[in-house]
Amino acid sequence: MPGLLVLMGSGETSPTMVEIHRAAARALRPGARAVLLDTPYAFQENAADISARARRYFAQSVGLEVEVASGITGADWVFSGPGSPTYALDRWTGSGIAGDLRARVRSREGVTVLASAAACTAGLATVPVYEIYKVGAEPHWREGIDLLEPLGLQAVLIPHFDNAEGGTHDTRYCYLGERRLSRMERELPPGTALLGLDEHTALVIDLQTESVRVAGRGGVTVRRPGSQTVLPTGTRTDLAELRRLAEGATGAATIPPPLAEPAPAEVTLEETVHTCEELFKAAVGKPDLVAAAQTVLDLEAEIVKWAADTEEDSGGVEQARELMRLLIARLGELASAAGLRSRDLRSLVESVLALRARLREEGRYEMADAVRAAMLEGGVAVEDTPDGPRWTYTS
């Protein structure tokens, strides 16, 4: 059996991590049993929806049929991701799953993928992020399940290491910020290192060969009081080097020449939204309203790609949908202001109607209705008839 431990900082069911999942899945035997542990988010009212989206993501994007299970006995591939680290800790410790996860790593067998909240539990101590960041508890640690101990690493794991959601306040280091993290570091046992996993980034450890690589968009930071080393994406090293850095040795990790050109990093949804906004502005500035409509269609395609993302509290997909509604309304306003009744307007409207038709075919009627309402606001009325939609200019 293969032996892999994959630790992800975030984005575990997003397009950015597909190739990393595929590489791990290729190590599996035919007919391998794949298990999703839903424990970190099992307390949420939408837990079934999160599981369904995750299963769909792995089936469609990775080619892996995954079952939701309460245990991991006999599983070749195990995945767990977003939610509450402490909720997962309490249940895994009480049920014996924590011991089963440690046994997988100690035996160097099976593929184990832990991301976000689940990855947070993998060190000797765990950040209770919900309690500190959302409830206001004093900064403190909880005992972790310590999957790293069998690998000779005395470390804690911090996902979302480079998070920047806070804008005006510091949300790096899994929403702790520098002030709280520095305080918490002083409470760790002597000789403990921090392993910081950037968002949309994975630390992939081959448990049998002890090779280590960093994949994704960011890097992995090995931090100790007064010093830190960043292993950028593309780094290939080994556990001995990682232990050396975690024990306080200085210097860069060994990075052999790559065997092939790395694949370009997948852009995040946030970056795509920003790009679409800029392209839309440029198109309407010419003006080229057909090109602007195509930008809206491209944005909708990205929304579909990211719909399976289970990342807690990201809100990115809904923000992208809001932008799409605004852009459609803006198209209508521009057409009305220009008094366009020409072929240009027809091309524009037909492009947007094609988007609406696609949404209806996919059963996404709420979004299709939002497109229709935005068109009406912009001066184009749409009527559905047995022969297809008809539109009229309202002003």
Side-chain angles (χ1 to χ4, degrees), residues 116-156:
S116 301
C120 200
T121 70
L124 64 83
T126 295
V127 175
V129 59
Y130 273 58
E131 293 82 347
I132 296 172
Y133 184 63
K134 294 192 174 183
V135 182
E138 285 296 305
H140 65 286
W141 297 99
R142 284 281 305 275
E143 184 177 356
I145 60 177
D146 207 0
L147 297 186
L148 303 177
E149 185 274 333
L151 306 181
L153 288 167
Q154 182 177 326
V156 298

Side-chain angles (χ1 to χ4, degrees), residues 70-82:
S70 58
I72 61 174
T73 302
D76 301 289
W77 178 95
V78 173
F79 168 83
S80 193

Side-chain angles (χ1 to χ4, degrees), residues 120-127 141-144 146-149 152-158 161 181-196 221-229 242-249:
C120 200
T121 70
L124 64 83
T126 295
V127 175
W141 297 99
R142 284 281 305 275
E143 184 177 356
D146 207 0
L147 297 186
L148 303 177
E149 185 274 333
L153 288 167
Q154 182 177 326
V156 298
L157 228 151
I158 311 291
F161 201 70
L181 181 62
S182 296
R183 171 180 168 181
M184 292 172 66
E185 278 180 299
R186 295 193 289 269
E187 299 173 2
L188 290 170
T192 302
L194 297 180
L195 295 183
T221 299
V222 185
R223 170 168 160 156
R224 290 176 55 86
S227 67
Q228 67 177 29
T229 300
L242 197 58
R243 293 187 200 104
R244 188 182 75 85
L245 294 172
E247 290 164 2

